[in-house]
Amino acid sequence: MAHSTASSSAPAHLQHHFVDSDQQFESSKMGMWIFLVTEILFFGGLFAAYIVYRAWYPDLYVQASTQLDTFWGAVNTAVLIGSSLTVAMAIRSAQLNQIKGLIINLYITIGLAFTFMVIKYFEYVHKFEKGIFPGQYYTYEGIAHEKANIFFSIYYMMTGLHGLHVIIGIGLMIWLLVKAKKGAFSAEYYTPVEITGLYWHLVDVIWIFLFPLLYLID
Amino acid sequence: METSALKRLQVQRFKPEENPEIHYLNSERGLWSWLSTVDHKRIGLMYLASIAIFFFIGGVLALVLRTELLSPAQSFLDADVYNQVFTLHGAIMIFFFLVPSVPAALGNFILPIQLGAKDVAFPRLNLASFYIYTIGTVFTLVAIITGAVDTGWTFYTPYSTETGTNVLLMTLGIFILGFSSILTGVNFIVTIHKMRAPGMTWSKLPLNVWSLYATSIIQVLATPVLAITLLLLVMERALGIGIFDPALGGDPVLFQHFFWFYSHPAVYIMIVPGFGVISEVISTFSRKHIFGYWAIALSSLAIAFIGFLVWGHHMFTAGQSSLASMVFSFLTFLVGIPTGIKIFNWLATMYKGSIDLKAPMLYAMVFLFLFTIGGFTGIMLGALSVDIHLHDTYFVVAHFHYVMMGGMVMALLAGLHYWWPKMFGKMYSEVYARISCALIFIGFNLAFLPQFVMGAQGMPRRYFNYIDQFQPFHQLSTMGAYIMGVGFVIMFFYLLHSLVRGEKAASNPWGSRALEWQTTSPAAPHNFEHTPVVIHGPYDYHKPMSEFQLGIAHGHHGESHQPETLETVAETGTRP
Amino acid sequence: MDKVLEFLLPPAKSTIAGQVDGLFIFILAVSAVLLVGISFAIIYFSWKYKRRSEQDTTPVITHNTKLEVAWSVIPLILVMIVFGWGFTGYMNMRTVPTDAYEIRVVGKSWLWEFHYENGTVSVNELHVPANRPVNLVMSSNDVIHSFYIPDYRVKRDVLPNRYSNVWFEAMETGESVIFCTEYCGRAHSNMIATVTAHSESDFENWLATANVIDESLSPVELGKELIAKNGCNACHSVDGSRMVGPSYKGSWMAERELEDGSVVTVDANYLRESILEPNAKIGAGYDPVMPSYQGLLSDREIDAIIEYIKTID
């Protein structure tokens, strides 16, 4: 196919339908930004449900949030913010062509993400032991409000969906790690690192909203 | 977005080759080359085949429904089967046919060519969207085979959480399908922003691109909300989380708000792309500059944005506050204005044109007539007091069929007939095309005009038997449905005939100035053999054709092709 | 115009119907004028400006500000009139007069129950006084229904777990049909009732005697009437055809297989239990969807229904 004389000199990462690396990088970044907008709207539905029920039953939220462990929630917030920092450092390393730094920062980020999930796991288990399940399986009797099950339905949906995003993020980061070790990234080409970083910041930002909305009500 | 930096480009004229030997359809062969293709044109055709299959299934279901409704009492379907059939008809037509019809099928095929790009920004993601769509359809088909669904396409709670049928699988299928729609939207927005050919400034974008742009914005912003709503519904059934279930303390009206927050904008996903196609067709077949370019382009965006604020007009009787109803009614009328403006613009485009009544133009005119009726009846439904009477009657059924089928399907048919030569390099029989257009037009009106009357008389929708006074209307309607069916069968055969032994099409059979007609028919594997350069808009019929077939000189062929004509240096805006 | 009205709309029998119809006709008339204009323009242009040759040139008309302002502003004014008109009509529908006569409505899959102030209950037939505002306070026992009287131009969704209301004032005596317009499952289209508007004195009469059993009827005749009055025939046929529930035909003393595989004889005890606690023993292949008639039927009425069922074979 005689479609480009430039192909002989084009870098390996450049896909055939782009004119140059800049266009490819800009496109990928914009694509990820738009995808993040859809993510926000996806969570937005849950936030809307949260707001509606909170407006109807304000006292329910005050009572039910006492069942959430503020200390471990705060720890998790710190963990995620830390991971956002390391992911930013990973991008910086890639820009400076420091592949070793990139790999180390990715390892730390993955470690922090795991820590987050482990803490979350214990929080869930602790609630399950008390009988705090979502919706119709709710059996806990410590909250004197007939809609307590709905609060925890919202809690589990929000944190569960967020947790799912963290797991997807871990998967992406492992994939980056494998590629980085193979030497796929350099200062010229680090688009996947950049856009995964954007995704990870969003996961972080959503948690920063979830934490006060669910844990810090009084 | 417009860059002020102008770059001087050396351009030359590239006349498209007639009936090329190598084109995108035969550059690679075999089933696998199709299933693994990342070429937007092939993906577009695969979508086209899929939506054709679903349109056929949905259409047969519609005929089954209409046949049952011939007589007031039960005839050959029992209530359960009837309820499942109308649910499937709605869900299939909306989620599997209308939503992907113009954007994913026609849009995928034509958008990059219209921009002068080699492909969409993310070709692999594009293929992934197609497979996600396929997986979604598999889920739904499994749901149909293993137990069917009888909730109506709206899945209103609490009925959808209580009924014993396969709602879970069906909603999962549509949930998955949503991602296909989102990813296509993301892909299109980035493509339009980043992949335009040199000189293709925002003011030279074809109107079809503008309306796909508006559609993509809606897809990206609204579909996630449907996704979360359906996910909550799935959780409701699987885990009993109870957010929408009154038995567990939840609120069923909240579901309606969530559902319509997506599904009303979705209505615009199902009509705005049609506006683009109609603009292209009317300008080409009137051989005249489009009237009010910016009015048409921006009104699509206006509809997209106001469309997010009117979902409550589906719920005037559902128990929202009077204040909310007032606001939603007011905003609904505001959406009507940009829609009306478009209709007048299209008429003004025809004024003093050179009108050629070929099949695409006939469909465009049918569109104008039917869509106008759809719009006016929409005004009736937007008026609060009248809506109370008409809500959930056949009047609503007729109204949205006039908009969806009279609007979008006619636009799809106009576009299909318009771009058919570019897709397959073949022409179809103009005579049969006219016959089938006439049958569809007559059948459609016969099927749906009586539904307006019986709806206004009070016949509620989703009734499988009814009181005797409505029988004549139902009978007329069923007759119309069958006439339409005949029209579509004829279309299937003449298009098939065209594929097998149709006349070869010229590269620009309609004499259009738009960029997609300045390449070969069928299009080249990478759309253009050169990098196209645009100096005039797609509707500049007053400029000579030679100024529309430009590309960067010496850009891609090295010395092998000597330029036919060397143009003077053209000054163009650079790629933004 | 009256002929058109009669063809398009059901008779206007409530005080608000006129206002709704007026707006309907207004929109219809304006739309018709515009539609004729647009259609004429399409046809005229395609005849007048038909392509003569491939070399045709066309004038460059890109826009015309005056024209565009005109066709934006005039429709805007028109729709604002429609909006205001529709909104005032709607507010009239939502503002219940203080002296309205109140009736409780309960929607169940798939029948309507009407409870009156003196304890009278009627099923699938609503009786109201004419020329007096009536306010219906409605709720649902299961899924969402919607209460619709075309002749009165009123409609309101009936929701589980909350009350909604609708009011109207019938202008003349007579019968009209009530539909359920929110899809509610299998017998949605059989959830039909009637509203009868009486003169004030007739209504008082009806109210006083509605739940008093007509002594002149034999038990079989009474049973037949009760089956019709209570909406039983929406789900149970008398001709053997299968509907939502089992047919009455030939059911007396028949052996019926239940969902759990056991077999019962359809005797008086089974029938009585099925009326009062319908979900206790479900026939195989049927769904537990029948509402209970506990409190709606007296012992004597149940006996009459059983007597009637005995005769259907």
Side-chain angles (χ1 to χ4, degrees), chain B residues 430-451:
Chain B
E430 192 64 37
V431 177
Y432 282 106
R434 285 175 191 200
I435 293 173
S436 115
C437 180
L439 284 176
I440 290 171
F441 179 71
I442 294 167
F444 181 88
N445 285 301
L446 192 58
F448 294 106
L449 273 180
Q451 295 190 2

Side-chain angles (χ1 to χ4, degrees), chain B residues 169-233:
Chain B
L169 269 179
M170 181 96 173
T171 40
L172 259 182
I174 291 167
F175 174 75
I176 294 168
L177 205 67
F179 283 94
S180 156
S181 188
I182 291 173
L183 294 177
T184 303
V186 171
N187 219 334
F188 281 10
I189 294 178
V190 176
T191 307
I192 294 168
H193 271 271
K194 302 289 180 191
M195 308 289 286
R196 307 195 306 276
M200 181 61 86
T201 58
W202 286 93
S203 61
K204 292 196 184 81
L205 281 186
L207 287 166
N208 187 45
V209 173
W210 273 110
S211 61
L212 285 174
Y213 186 64
T215 309
S216 300
I217 290 175
I218 310 174
Q219 283 179 313
V220 162
L221 295 183
T223 319
V225 181
L226 177 75
I228 191 69
T229 309
L230 293 179
L231 192 64
L232 285 171
L233 187 58

Side-chain angles (χ1 to χ4, degrees), chain C residues 218-225 227 237-239 248-253 266 271 303-313:
Chain C
S218 70
V220 174
E221 285 167 330
L222 178 63
K224 187 173 182 182
E225 194 186 289
I227 292 238
S237 75
V238 292
D239 59 2
Y248 293 132
K249 186 173 179 173
S251 62
W252 178 245
M253 287 321 239
V266 182
L271 287 174
D303 292 346
I305 290 174
I306 293 172
E307 285 309 312
Y308 172 59
I309 291 175
K310 281 183 190 173
T311 65
I312 310 169
D313 52 6

Side-chain angles (χ1 to χ4, degrees), chain A residues 4-36:
Chain A
S4 179
T5 49
S7 59
S8 54
S9 60
H13 63 258
L14 183 65
Q15 289 175 290
H16 76 280
H17 58 292
F18 289 112
V19 173
D20 51 33
S21 293
D22 272 355
Q23 191 191 21
Q24 178 169 330
F25 178 70
E26 291 289 316
S27 300
S28 304
K29 210 167 148 180
M30 183 175 181
M32 187 40 111
W33 273 110
I34 297 170
F35 181 73
L36 295 187

Side-chain angles (χ1 to χ4, degrees), chain C residues 157-176:
Chain C
D157 286 8
V158 179
L159 298 153
N161 275 15
R162 70 165 80 161
Y163 298 106
S164 57
N165 78 294
V166 68
W167 83 272
F168 54 80
E169 180 178 339
M171 292 192 301
E172 52 188 272
T173 58
E175 265 193 31
S176 294

Side-chain angles (χ1 to χ4, degrees), chain B residues 28-39 42-43 45-47 49-50 123-124 126-132 134:
Chain B
E28 288 173 69
R29 286 176 184 279
L31 185 63
W32 181 246
S33 79
W34 280 86
L35 294 180
S36 64
T37 185
V38 290
D39 180 357
R42 288 181 163 212
I43 293 172
L45 290 195
M46 294 200 289
Y47 270 116
S50 315
R124 278 180 295 183
N126 201 15
L127 183 65
S129 312
F130 177 73
Y131 281 113
I132 293 171
T134 315

Side-chain angles (χ1 to χ4, degrees), chain A:
Chain A
M1 268 172 285
H3 59 271
S4 179
T5 49
S7 59
S8 54
S9 60
H13 63 258
L14 183 65
Q15 289 175 290
H16 76 280
H17 58 292
F18 289 112
V19 173
D20 51 33
S21 293
D22 272 355
Q23 191 191 21
Q24 178 169 330
F25 178 70
E26 291 289 316
S27 300
S28 304
K29 210 167 148 180
M30 183 175 181
M32 187 40 111
W33 273 110
I34 297 170
F35 181 73
L36 295 187
V37 171
T38 72
E39 287 279 13
I40 289 171
L41 279 148
F42 188 65
F43 278 95
L46 284 175
F47 281 112
Y50 173 96
I51 291 165
V52 168
Y53 277 97
R54 184 159 179 185
W56 285 341
Y57 313 109
D59 51 321
L60 160 68
Y61 280 64
V62 175
Q63 288 177 41
S65 73
T66 56
Q67 293 301 318
L68 304 180
D69 195 325
T70 312
F71 172 73
W72 285 112
V75 171
N76 254 350
T77 309
V79 166
L80 266 196
I81 291 176
S83 74
S84 245
L85 179 70
T86 55
V87 99
M89 282 159 63
I91 296 168
R92 182 81 190 137
S93 304
Q95 283 169 339
L96 297 173
N97 223 356
Q98 297 162 348
I99 302 308
K100 210 174 160 198
L102 168 66
I103 292 171
I104 291 170
N105 277 310
L106 283 175
Y107 268 123
I108 299 175
T109 313
I110 293 169
L112 288 171
F114 264 115
T115 312
F116 178 88
M117 289 311 292
V118 168
I119 293 175
K120 202 78 228 156
Y121 169 79
F122 282 111
E123 280 193 67
Y124 272 24
V125 168
H126 182 63
K127 287 190 195 58
F128 290 164
E129 278 167 359
K130 283 197 204 165
I132 301 179
F133 290 101
Q136 66 185 31
Y137 302 105
Y138 182 86
T139 53
Y140 184 61
E141 284 170 357
I143 303 170
H145 199 293
E146 53 168 346
K147 307 269 180 184
N149 56 344
I150 302 283
F151 175 86
F152 285 101
S153 291
I154 293 173
Y155 166 81
Y156 282 116
M157 279 303 292
M158 285 179 133
T159 54
L161 214 54
H162 178 262
L164 185 68
H165 279 77
V166 173
I167 292 170
I168 293 170
I170 293 175
L172 288 172
M173 231 83 75
I174 291 173
W175 169 71
L176 287 182
L177 203 55
V178 172
K179 284 195 83 172
K181 284 188 173 171
K182 283 186 187 158
F185 302 126
S186 64
E188 278 76 50
Y189 177 66
Y190 58 95
T191 314
V193 185
E194 169 92 22
I195 64 174
T196 307
L198 279 176
Y199 169 82
W200 192 252
H201 292 317
L202 178 90
V203 172
D204 189 17
V205 166
I206 289 174
W207 177 257
I208 288 173
F209 277 96
L210 290 184
F211 175 60
L213 284 177
L214 293 168
Y215 291 74
L216 304 179
I217 307 170
D218 56 327

Side-chain angles (χ1 to χ4, degrees), chain B residues 150 251 287 292 391 457 463, chain C residues 7 58 62 155 162 180 183:
Chain B
D150 70 340
D251 182 35
R287 198 158 287 183
H391 180 75
Q457 288 274 8
Y463 267 29
Chain C
F7 178 63
T58 53
T62 56
K155 181 182 291 138
R162 70 165 80 161
C180 173
Y183 173 67

